[in-house]
Amino acid sequence: MKKIIFACLFLTSIVAFSQTVKLEGTIKDSIGNPLELANVIALVKGTSKVESYSITNDKGRYRLILPSNVTYSLRISYIGFETFNEEVSIADNALDITKDITLKEEGNTLDAVELTFEMPVTIKGDTIVYNSDSFTNGTEKKLEDILKKLPGVEINEDGQIEVEGKQVQKVMVEGKDFFDGDSKLASKNIPANAIDKIEVLKNYNEVGPMRGVGDDSDNIAINIRLKEGKKNFWFGEITAGVGTEDGYLAHPKLFYYSPKTSINIITDVNNIGEVPFTFRDYFKFTGGFRNMMRKGGTSFNISSNGLGFSMTQNNMAKDIVSRFGAFNFSYSPKKSLTFSGFSILNDSETELFTENNINNIVTSTVEDRTTSTLQRTKLAMLKLSANYVPNESTHFDYDVFIKKSKETEYENINSIISLNFEDIENRKTQKPSSINQNLNYYKVVDDKNIFSVEMQHLYQNENPLLNLVRSSQPFETVIPTSQENLYDLSQQKDISTNKFDGKVDYYYILNKKSNLNFTLGSTLSKQNFDSNIFQILDDNSQLDFADVTLNNDVTYNFSDVFLGLHYKAVSGKFTFTPGFSVHSYTTKDQQLGTTNKNSDFNIVPDLSIQVKLKQSENIRFNYSMSREYTDVNKLAEGYIFNNFNSLSEGNRNLESALYNTFSLSYFSFSMFNFTNINASINYSKKTNDIKSRTNFIGLNQTSSEPFNSNLADETWSARGRYGRRFGKFKINARANFGFSKFNGFVNNQPNISESFTQTYTGSIATNFKKAPNLEIGYTKIFNDYKSSLNDNKYTTDKPFAKLDIVFLKDFSFVTDYSYYNYKDDNNSVKNTYSFLDTSLYYQKKDSKWEFIISGKNLTDNASINRDNFSENSTSSSSYFVQPKRYMFTVKYNL
């Protein structure tokens, strides 16, 4: 029945697509040179309706797909040339038409750009401009809905915007930052009806003096242009709704934009599973801070000392209550000075229930585990920025970014291994905070000399408290617990970090196509790490363990001073950037009453090669070598709890690991035949990596004596995407591959763990203005996890469909359906489930009121499935989700 419904809906869309004719040809200038990136558009005669459009390729070719039995106004524009106008009549049953056109040069080039029509897409150098109205049909409610319809633009699984396969680093509205450091807040909250143009800025660099001297090919920004009625006025919307299962939501949003000032206010309170800001978002939110040392040849990252809080799956859980508020501003008292910032507050309560089947790939034991989790997280962020640009050759900016949170989690765990049952209580509390400051200065001295100074300082404080209550004595060979009815163990950790990164770059411009870059930089870090394990006895007294192996008091200093040299040269289609850096390392840790100090010296090379085949087609190769140093966590020699069943110790004599990373990528974006292709392959090899000798006794895992292994770990990944439009239809195909190989030691035996994952997705969709629009697709996932003793395979089949309909002028209907068939290779783990979400919208033309009736999880599915892989185990998990719910919502547009 479901297949029949899909087929009927799709045939309905095909019927709406009448017989078409292909109009194609070549655009040249008066001496016969092809004109690349000329705009070609066909308007229905007597109207402003855009039927089809094209942008010429490098050979000047264009192609239009036009319905027959219609007369069109064919218009062609190119900067510096007169606009070409001609009527073209397409008779019924007409054959394809070839029409070559020669444009005449315009004496006054200003007149050539004053067009009386809107091109759906225009390309101006590194900027692609999309006209929003050319891609919408009225069912779009937010920026995300429009972006999904634009060629070359995607929304990934995390809600972040991607262009050409690269994640967008910055979203602006009218040139002003919109919550710098995250594109998800923009895609989920900017109203679709306020958007006029969407500008994609490739090779983006907001620092004028640095444009063109470095490598900005990974930097992509998006700028939103608002419709005229939205400028210099407050606008927004107030949304409120109630529903079954005691559901509620309130979602007011308010925006203001003027040449000097911008204000954005977003709030959201709901209990229906619409999570505006997740725990994962909080940790990934950069605040726009750049990793200035990403190409420095050293990897020294401050790891989180959090307790591994449970995460929702696809923002789904058994119950979620969200309270969210965000404020963003920008103010320019004069053209050269801008103050900006944002604050975000989030308070969420989450209830999770999971069922896990965990297969230890070394001991071959199987654990069945059920976990009930209650979680409360309070998150806060504040960023303030100042930007001063007195002239084109000088740029100064300062930022401070503050993050603070309070997180609590209570888990009740039931574990069964070989008929041995244990009931465990696991409590986690932490209040981490951090202050990150950034100071940058850029100066163009003259045509030959450019200087930049960049500095960052991080202060971070973490104090996680873990408490576990178990019915059996855990880790009895390590922890001398007192015999009690229940074993109530706790661990308190306190970790403070001060880290400074600074570098000075000098660019010597040899000529217009080459330059030299000299770098002097340093990373300095100091960490204090304290921990202790203790037991709460039956009489509520506390037993502190005095054994040095159960306590830590460590001070760790790390320094890296380096010199770097890079040469950038452009030769024809090629851009070469070879370079190297020379590093002097010093590490010092103080613990157990002694000091351990080490020094090292290293030279690491890197290379970047770019081939610009065409205006929008390129190949890129990158190679880099880097040294990876651990922070204090793996150097502290006392045992620490990682979780209720995992205990590990460090080793102060660990050395650095060596990374070799290779990547090759290809990109092509043609507005001639509306084809978008991007593909990449990455390989990394890690030698002298840190490994631990892991021992399992039933449920418990002890990792001891970490060491540097001479066995290399390898990781391969590849991805590819193909998208093309055929008239009102578009097809998309994606493939992702991942392979990893890890060498470890478990129960004193060497163990090789391998993971090979594959994901394939194909879809076809329509893009009609008035007829119903349908997208149907299929995803296939293969996950293969191998070890020396086991081989576990899981597959997921996921057909999906989405339907948008506008009817009776004022009504629109949107439905989204997906079906999952999840199983392992021997069908011992199997689950089929589906999700159906629908929304019916009613809004009269020019009315500020909108009424919505919606349903979520209408198939009343109870759970979703995931599988995971680590060096020691594979697991298949069921995550329970919220039940079926209907909502009635009212929205008022301000």
Side-chain angles (χ1 to χ4, degrees):
M1 177 61 69
K2 294 168 184 172
K3 294 180 179 179
I4 294 174
I5 293 173
F6 288 161
C8 291
L9 291 170
F10 193 56
L11 287 173
T12 300
S13 297
I14 291 177
V15 170
F17 189 49
S18 58
Q19 181 182 349
T20 59
V21 172
K22 181 165 60 178
L23 172 62
E24 60 183 347
T26 303
I27 311 297
K28 298 181 179 180
D29 62 14
S30 58
I31 59 174
N33 294 320
L35 297 178
E36 184 180 4
L37 302 181
N39 296 320
V40 183
I41 190 168
L43 303 170
V44 176
K45 183 182 177 183
T47 72
S48 59
K49 178 187 175 184
V50 177
E51 186 59 53
S52 185
Y53 67 96
S54 179
I55 294 177
T56 55
N57 65 8
D58 60 316
K59 295 180 175 59
R61 294 184 60 201
Y62 73 93
R63 179 182 297 160
L64 303 175
I65 305 297
L66 301 171
S68 59
N69 203 26
V70 180
T71 299
Y72 299 97
S73 295
L74 179 65
R75 301 184 184 182
I76 302 169
S77 64
Y78 192 82
I79 295 178
F81 290 78
E82 293 182 0
T83 299
F84 176 87
N85 293 276
E86 185 176 294
E87 286 189 6
V88 177
S89 296
I90 308 294
D92 201 11
N93 299 319
L95 300 176
D96 291 343
I97 301 172
T98 299
K99 191 175 186 64
D100 297 330
I101 298 166
T102 300
L103 296 185
K104 298 179 181 179
E105 291 189 19
E106 172 64 59
N108 184 352
T109 58
L110 292 177
D111 295 338
V113 296
E114 292 178 1
L115 305 177
T116 59
F117 57 90
E118 288 277 12
M119 278 291 294
V121 182
T122 56
I123 300 177
K124 305 173 183 177
D126 288 332
T127 301
I128 304 174
V129 183
Y130 298 93
N131 181 48
S132 175
D133 290 344
S134 301
F135 297 91
T136 58
N137 66 351
T139 61
E140 302 80 14
K141 303 301 176 184
K142 50 195 174 185
L143 173 62
E144 176 184 54
D145 300 327
I146 301 176
L147 293 175
K148 290 178 179 179
K149 297 185 176 184
L150 304 183
V153 183
E154 288 185 298
I155 304 294
N156 65 22
E157 292 183 353
D158 294 326
Q160 302 291 332
I161 306 170
E162 291 185 354
V163 175
E164 303 175 2
K166 303 172 185 175
Q167 189 163 310
V168 171
Q169 282 88 29
K170 181 187 289 287
V171 176
M172 298 173 286
V173 179
E174 293 292 329
K176 297 176 174 60
D177 290 351
F178 190 93
F179 293 96
D180 195 14
D182 181 83
S183 62
K184 179 180 175 181
L185 281 175
S187 67
K188 296 288 186 182
N189 289 284
I190 296 177
N193 60 8
I195 299 170
D196 182 32
K197 302 284 192 303
I198 298 172
E199 300 173 345
V200 174
L201 313 174
K202 299 189 294 182
N203 299 312
Y204 178 75
N205 194 327
E206 61 185 328
V207 181
M210 303 304 296
R211 290 174 190 150
V213 297
D215 181 9
D216 297 323
S217 56
D218 284 333
N219 299 340
I220 296 180
I222 282 181
N223 183 45
I224 306 299
R225 294 294 180 186
L226 300 174
K227 294 180 178 178
E228 284 303 320
K230 305 299 181 181
K231 300 175 185 177
N232 297 307
F233 293 98
W234 287 94
F235 69 95
E237 58 190 38
I238 299 175
T239 305
V242 294
T244 59
E245 303 291 333
D246 297 322
Y248 63 85
L249 71 89
H251 190 19
K253 296 184 287 188
L254 196 59
F255 308 95
Y256 177 80
Y257 285 90
S258 72
K260 287 187 175 183
T261 306
S262 71
I263 297 174
N264 306 288
I265 302 172
I266 303 171
T267 60
D268 194 335
V269 179
N270 76 84
N271 69 344
I272 61 174
E274 294 186 356
V275 185
F277 197 74
T278 68
F279 199 41
R280 186 180 288 108
D281 294 334
Y282 174 78
F283 283 108
K284 294 174 66 175
F285 205 98
T286 65
F289 274 60
R290 298 176 294 274
N291 180 7
M292 66 170 67
M293 297 299 186
R294 68 186 184 279
K295 297 181 181 179
T298 301
S299 175
F300 178 74
N301 297 315
I302 304 300
S303 59
S304 170
N305 284 277
L307 296 169
F309 274 47
S310 303
M311 297 290 185
T312 59
Q313 301 297 314
N314 284 1
N315 296 335
M316 294 182 181
K318 187 177 180 181
D319 190 42
I320 306 175
V321 178
S322 298
R323 308 172 190 89
F324 173 80
F327 173 79
N328 175 221
F329 80 95
S330 176
Y331 175 62
S332 301
K334 55 183 180 179
K335 187 176 180 180
S336 61
L337 181 63
T338 300
F339 299 101
S340 62
F342 64 78
S343 63
I344 295 176
L345 300 173
N346 189 76
D347 183 2
S348 63
E349 300 174 54
T350 307
E351 180 181 356
L352 302 103
F353 183 79
T354 61
E355 295 177 343
N356 305 83
N357 180 265
I358 303 170
N359 188 346
N360 190 302
I361 58 181
V362 178
T363 64
S364 296
T365 58
V366 177
E367 177 191 0
D368 290 312
R369 182 189 301 175
T370 61
T371 306
S372 297
T373 305
L374 295 176
Q375 188 181 96
R376 180 76 179 269
T377 59
K378 296 181 179 181
L379 315 173
M381 293 190 291
L382 172 67
K383 181 187 178 185
L384 297 173
S385 302
N387 185 285
Y388 180 58
V389 187
N391 51 60
E392 292 182 355
S393 63
T394 306
H395 184 108
F396 174 89
D397 60 62
Y398 171 77
D399 310 278
V400 58
F401 186 35
I402 303 171
K403 299 174 71 173
K404 187 173 180 60
S405 65
K406 180 180 180 181
E407 306 143 21
T408 58
E409 181 175 280
Y410 170 77
E411 291 180 312
N412 183 266
I413 302 165
N414 297 307
S415 173
I416 301 176
I417 301 179
S418 301
L419 301 180
N420 294 318
F421 173 83
E422 185 173 6
D423 188 15
I424 303 166
E425 293 181 9
N426 195 32
R427 299 183 181 91
K428 306 172 185 178
T429 303
Q430 55 193 33
K431 299 178 182 179
S433 61
S434 66
I435 301 176
N436 208 336
Q437 297 181 82
N438 182 69
L439 180 65
N440 301 312
Y441 175 72
Y442 309 91
K443 179 66 177 179
V444 177
V445 179
D446 52 40
D447 292 342
K448 292 287 187 179
N449 302 281
I450 301 174
F451 286 91
S452 73
V453 180
E454 299 175 305
M455 294 181 287
Q456 284 187 10
H457 178 261
L458 169 68
Y459 171 76
Q460 182 173 285
N461 184 65
E462 300 169 284
N463 55 356
L465 173 64
L466 173 69
N467 172 248
L468 59 98
V469 180
R470 299 184 56 170
S471 55
S472 62
Q473 184 178 6
F475 310 106
E476 56 185 347
T477 60
V478 178
I479 304 176
T481 54
S482 172
Q483 183 70 40
E484 303 288 326
N485 293 323
L486 293 174
Y487 295 91
D488 188 338
L489 295 173
S490 294
Q491 173 186 265
Q492 177 71 59
K493 289 199 297 181
D494 291 285
I495 309 96
S496 65
T497 300
N498 276 280
K499 179 172 176 278
F500 172 82
D501 294 305
K503 66 173 184 172
V504 177
D505 281 290
Y506 167 62
Y507 295 87
Y508 180 69
I509 311 302
L510 300 171
N511 51 55
K512 291 183 178 180
K513 293 188 175 182
S514 63
N515 66 67
L516 288 170
N517 172 211
F518 301 89
T519 304
L520 171 63
S522 180
T523 294
L524 305 172
S525 174
K526 180 179 180 180
Q527 292 182 287
N528 295 310
F529 183 102
D530 298 312
S531 73
N532 65 297
I533 298 174
F534 55 92
Q535 181 181 4
I536 303 299
L537 306 179
D538 288 346
D539 61 1
N540 288 325
S541 61
Q542 179 173 312
L543 173 61
D544 293 308
F545 301 114
D547 193 329
V548 293
T549 62
L550 301 178
N551 295 270
N552 284 291
D553 183 2
V554 186
T555 299
Y556 175 56
N557 295 84
F558 170 84
S559 73
D560 169 27
V561 179
F562 67 93
L563 286 169
L565 173 63
H566 289 82
Y567 172 66
K568 179 181 179 181
V570 179
S571 176
K573 296 181 178 181
F574 292 84
T575 300
F576 300 92
T577 312
F580 68 93
S581 54
V582 182
H583 295 257
S584 175
Y585 301 104
T586 303
T587 62
K588 184 177 73 172
D589 73 274
Q590 297 171 288
Q591 57 180 314
L592 303 175
T594 61
T595 299
N596 182 37
K597 185 175 182 179
N598 293 285
S599 298
D600 198 4
F601 177 84
N602 200 35
I603 300 176
V604 290
D606 60 88
L607 172 66
S608 174
I609 301 174
Q610 297 185 53
V611 186
K612 189 174 182 179
L613 301 175
K614 298 178 184 178
Q615 180 70 21
S616 295
E617 184 180 16
N618 60 68
I619 298 174
R620 183 180 178 188
F621 171 78
N622 284 313
Y623 165 74
S624 66
M625 179 188 290
S626 63
R627 282 283 172 187
E628 182 183 73
Y629 282 82
T630 181
D631 67 355
V632 70
N633 285 275
K634 292 184 179 180
L635 301 175
E637 298 212 329
Y639 278 100
I640 59 172
F641 275 110
N642 302 309
N643 208 334
F644 70 91
N645 66 337
S646 175
L647 198 65
S648 66
E649 65 175 347
N651 180 358
R652 68 193 302 185
N653 296 310
L654 291 173
E655 300 173 353
S656 63
L658 184 65
Y659 257 120
N660 283 278
T661 305
F662 304 81
S663 67
L664 179 66
S665 62
Y666 170 79
F667 166 75
S668 175
F669 180 42
S670 172
M671 291 303 298
F672 163 69
N673 56 11
F674 303 101
T675 301
N676 178 35
I677 303 172
N678 61 72
S680 64
I681 184 169
N682 301 276
Y683 170 73
S684 66
K685 185 176 183 180
K686 192 176 185 181
T687 55
N688 207 41
D689 193 16
I690 298 173
K691 299 292 181 180
S692 294
R693 293 178 172 85
T694 304
N695 293 287
F696 288 92
I697 301 177
L699 177 65
N700 302 317
Q701 168 186 335
T702 305
S703 299
S704 60
E705 303 176 28
F707 62 98
N708 292 96
S709 171
N710 57 3
L711 300 175
D713 290 342
E714 297 176 278
T715 302
W716 288 87
S717 66
R719 59 176 290 178
R721 179 184 183 273
Y722 174 83
R724 184 165 181 178
R725 292 173 180 253
F726 300 88
K728 299 298 183 181
F729 290 83
K730 62 177 180 179
I731 61 171
N732 283 293
R734 303 183 192 88
N736 291 278
F737 307 89
F739 173 80
S740 60
K741 178 182 177 182
F742 300 107
N743 295 277
F745 288 84
V746 181
N747 290 352
N748 296 317
Q749 297 295 321
N751 177 60
I752 299 176
S753 302
E754 294 182 354
S755 166
F756 182 40
T757 62
Q758 307 167 66
T759 302
Y760 306 90
T761 299
S763 66
I764 183 169
T766 63
N767 187 25
F768 298 112
K769 276 287 187 179
K770 295 182 179 180
N773 283 305
L774 175 69
E775 179 185 15
I776 58 173
Y778 198 94
T779 297
K780 182 80 172 184
I781 302 173
F782 301 92
N783 292 334
D784 186 1
Y785 309 127
K786 292 181 180 180
S787 73
S788 303
L789 299 175
N790 290 285
D791 187 357
N792 298 96
K793 298 179 180 179
Y794 302 91
T795 61
T796 302
D797 293 272
K798 177 193 171 185
F800 59 89
K802 183 177 181 180
L803 177 66
D804 298 348
I805 302 175
V806 178
F807 62 99
L808 298 179
K809 295 184 179 180
D810 302 324
F811 289 88
S812 62
F813 177 74
V814 178
T815 185
D816 198 342
Y817 177 79
S818 54
Y819 174 84
Y820 298 80
N821 181 16
Y822 174 85
K823 60 183 179 181
D824 64 0
D825 56 341
N826 56 18
N827 287 322
S828 61
V829 177
K830 187 174 182 180
N831 189 20
T832 59
Y833 55 96
S834 60
F835 286 97
L836 175 63
D837 297 339
T838 64
S839 296
L840 176 65
Y841 301 88
Y842 171 73
Q843 183 177 21
K844 290 187 68 67
K845 185 178 181 181
D846 299 326
S847 173
K848 294 181 177 294
W849 293 94
E850 183 176 21
F851 303 92
I852 306 128
I853 297 175
S854 60
K856 296 191 66 174
N857 190 16
L858 296 184
T859 53
D860 208 14
N861 177 59
S863 64
I864 60 176
N865 289 88
R866 295 289 185 272
D867 50 74
N868 295 285
F869 166 82
S870 70
E871 292 188 47
N872 301 319
S873 66
T874 64
S875 65
S876 176
S877 306
S878 293
Y879 297 87
F880 284 71
V881 299
Q882 290 185 310
K884 174 172 58 178
R885 175 178 280 121
Y886 297 95
M887 293 290 296
F888 175 71
T889 306
V890 178
K891 183 169 72 173
Y892 180 76
N893 294 306
L894 301 172

